[in-house]
Amino acid sequence: MTEKDKDNAFEQQLKERLETLLKDELLSDISTSTTIEQVNTLIDIEKGHAYRITIDRGPLNSLSLVVSQGTSVRDIKRLIQTTISHTTNTNRKISWKYIWQSHCLLFNGQRLLNDNAVVSQLGISQGSILKFSKLAFEKGKHRRARKIR
């Protein structure tokens, strides 16, 4: 038996064991194409080290994200960007710089303007809902005009 045959036999045994495990009632929510990172995230959720949160986008579909306790607001914004870029099938480029300059995330009526703030310190927990909110400018505190190049 060659080395390649041994590898193929081991791979086949591994696949059979995985299929047996995935038929278990406790693992029914895991698909066969799940990556190891996704499995680790699900384990962290079960242990209470990570949270499943929802991003309410108004008239658009809500996004479901998984964040750990040490995740910052900046990390959540990046997760939103990657999730939307993977789910949309358009060739148009989204200007995230514009979006984050004109919108922010809102949690329990509080604007999350500090990108370095950590999820656990903000009170975000399992099942929390964050909303997109347009930034309103206060009178007399307008942004400086940008130079056009």
Side-chain angles (χ1 to χ4, degrees):
M1 193 176 216
T2 67
E3 190 69 31
K4 189 175 182 177
D5 291 337
K6 288 180 184 178
D7 287 344
N8 287 340
F10 177 73
E11 187 177 330
Q12 186 60 32
Q13 285 180 335
L14 186 60
K15 284 183 181 179
E16 289 172 3
R17 287 184 181 173
L18 274 174
E19 287 176 13
T20 305
L21 282 172
L22 292 175
K23 290 178 185 174
D24 189 324
E25 194 177 298
L26 293 172
L27 302 174
S28 62
D29 59 342
I30 299 176
S31 70
T32 55
S33 62
T34 303
T35 64
I36 191 70
E37 291 84 15
Q38 291 170 327
V39 171
N40 286 334
T41 301
L42 291 172
I43 290 170
D44 285 345
I45 290 172
E46 292 299 321
K47 288 181 176 180
H49 299 296
Y51 311 122
R52 200 178 299 261
I53 62 171
T54 304
I55 308 297
D56 180 12
R57 301 189 303 159
L60 301 173
N61 293 336
S62 296
L63 298 175
S64 181
L65 302 176
V66 176
V67 296
S68 66
Q69 292 176 348
T71 302
S72 67
V73 173
R74 179 178 289 114
D75 296 334
I76 293 175
K77 289 179 178 180
R78 285 188 191 129
L79 276 171
I80 292 170
Q81 290 173 213
T82 55
T83 304
I84 290 175
S85 67
H86 289 316
T87 57
T88 57
N89 296 330
T90 181
N91 292 333
R92 290 180 41 189
K93 186 175 184 284
I94 298 172
S95 175
W96 289 106
K97 183 177 179 180
Y98 170 77
I99 288 174
W100 296 125
Q101 283 178 348
S102 60
H103 293 77
C104 68
L105 293 172
L106 202 68
F107 175 65
N108 286 343
Q110 174 188 0
R111 290 183 183 163
L112 305 180
L113 299 176
N114 181 4
D115 283 348
N116 297 322
V118 179
V119 165
S120 58
Q121 295 172 345
L122 295 170
I124 296 173
S125 60
Q126 180 72 19
S128 293
I129 298 174
L130 302 181
K131 295 182 180 185
F132 266 110
S133 173
K134 190 150 181 78
L135 283 173
F137 295 102
E138 296 176 19
K139 192 173 185 178
K141 293 189 177 182
H142 296 287
R143 272 189 281 179
R144 194 183 255 183
R146 288 186 241 162
K147 292 181 182 178
I148 300 174
R149 296 179 188 178

